[in-house]
Amino acid sequence: MKILSIQSSVAYGYAGNSSAVFPLQRLGHEVWPVYTVHFSNHTGYGEWRGPVFEPETVRDVITGIEERGVLPECDAVLSGYMGADPIGTVILDAVARVKAANPKAIYCADPVMGDVGRGFFVRPGIPEFMRDKVVPAADVITPNQWELQYLTGEREIHSVAELLDAARSIRDRGPETVLVTSVQTDETPADSVQLAVVNGDGAWIVTTPLLPMYVVGAGDATTAIFLAHLLTEPAEQALAATADSVFGVMETTHTAATREIQIVGAQELIAHPTGRFEVTRLD
């Protein structure tokens, strides 16, 4: 499969395309990375250097790919953090161009906006752009639980039933598949975190241990790994493989005691998930 991935990049460490491209390749997909920024390191360090590319520069790179005549071969478009509305508009234009060339292509969007305890960490206008423009255009969307609450009218999610209702309300607005990350409801076991997926065939959830750590780039890798599997497998199998591989990356990172996720160190767990976590059907 061939994937056009339009995201940020960093020279040192892992975030955006720097976190997504290698897992996609390790899982056997060809990736066409387009960068929206190229920083020395992710912004979690507080200091960084490097350029933010103008929207027209990003559009120009995509046009150059289109001029190679390869968009009919593109199976998916992947996006994550959007720095500003103009970049988002360029991404949605790229999605439209790809789908015009290949109607079977899908758009997978990680609607990066914020998280529990941090609130929004994107520029004003981006949450509304994600809600009003990106969600209706996406075939697959991968919000964390906090983002899902915002996208569905800021309804609070305390139970699995409320989680499913929120995911289904997103599906009513366009996306076929909703992967919810960082799930912690009143029913989540202690010291655990969950992933859930909902599509037209049903809903499933998987539970993994919650490690005492916070890292940047794990969400980008999660979305990439899920998309990689979803392109060739049913959603429940993609969920199981994603949970296994992402926990493997996090466990390896925790053992290494580093703030950068260990994608290379855990690459065998990405390429060959072991099936250690059981997926439960919810409906």
Side-chain angles (χ1 to χ4, degrees):
M1 296 289 185
K2 298 174 183 178
I3 300 165
L4 175 64
S5 183
I6 311 170
Q7 300 192 57
S8 60
S9 69
V10 294
Y12 172 77
Y14 300 94
N17 264 334
S18 301
S19 184
V21 171
F22 179 68
L24 288 167
Q25 292 172 329
R26 195 66 179 83
L27 285 162
H29 299 293
E30 182 177 328
V31 188
W32 306 335
V34 175
Y35 302 144
T36 56
V37 309
H38 188 56
F39 289 164
S40 55
N41 49 270
H42 67 66
T43 59
Y45 286 94
E47 295 180 342
W48 65 92
R49 295 178 181 269
V52 175
F53 296 124
E54 293 294 329
E56 285 308 310
T57 300
V58 179
R59 190 190 304 273
D60 201 38
V61 172
I62 295 166
T63 298
I65 296 172
E66 183 178 36
E67 290 171 344
R68 303 287 70 75
V70 296
L71 290 192
E73 304 171 18
C74 185
D75 298 290
V77 179
L78 172 63
S79 71
Y81 172 81
M82 297 180 185
D85 288 10
I87 287 292
T89 300
V90 169
I91 291 171
L92 294 185
D93 177 66
V95 171
R97 287 200 248 174
V98 168
K99 289 196 169 194
N102 178 13
K104 293 182 179 179
I106 66 171
Y107 173 35
C108 177
D110 182 3
V112 179
M113 295 178 290
D115 207 349
V116 175
R118 299 177 67 191
F120 288 115
F121 50 68
V122 293
R123 292 182 181 181
I126 288 295
E128 293 82 4
F129 186 86
M130 291 291 189
R131 181 192 64 203
D132 300 335
K133 302 295 184 181
V134 173
V135 169
D139 300 287
V140 181
I141 195 162
T142 64
N144 62 37
Q145 183 174 315
W146 189 90
E147 291 162 340
L148 179 64
Q149 290 181 162
Y150 168 76
L151 292 173
T152 54
E154 302 189 32
R155 66 175 77 180
E156 293 189 359
I157 296 172
H158 298 289
S159 67
V160 171
E162 291 170 342
L163 180 77
L164 293 182
D165 285 344
R168 286 168 178 150
S169 73
I170 289 287
R171 289 191 67 249
D172 289 341
R173 293 164 54 198
E176 163 60 20
T177 302
V178 180
L179 173 72
V180 189
T181 66
S182 301
V183 172
Q184 288 187 304
T185 70
D186 294 343
E187 300 164 53
T188 302
D191 301 319
S192 299
V193 66
Q194 296 174 303
L195 287 169
V197 67
V198 180
N199 67 9
D201 295 324
W204 298 265
I205 197 165
V206 61
T207 304
T208 68
L210 178 63
L211 297 173
M213 58 189 293
Y214 174 79
V215 292
V216 171
D220 303 319
T222 300
T223 296
I225 291 169
F226 180 72
L227 174 62
H229 286 283
L230 189 67
L231 286 169
T232 59
E233 303 168 13
E236 64 271 28
Q237 293 181 21
L239 177 66
T242 301
D244 190 276
S245 293
V246 171
F247 181 76
V249 171
M250 299 298 284
E251 190 174 39
T252 302
T253 303
H254 186 255
T255 299
T258 175
R259 66 187 298 174
E260 294 291 348
I261 56 174
Q262 298 297 291
I263 289 178
V264 175
Q267 63 179 289
E268 289 303 317
L269 295 171
I270 294 173
H272 306 290
T274 59
R276 55 182 155 170
F277 300 114
E278 181 180 358
V279 170
T280 301
R281 188 173 181 115
L282 292 174
D283 54 343

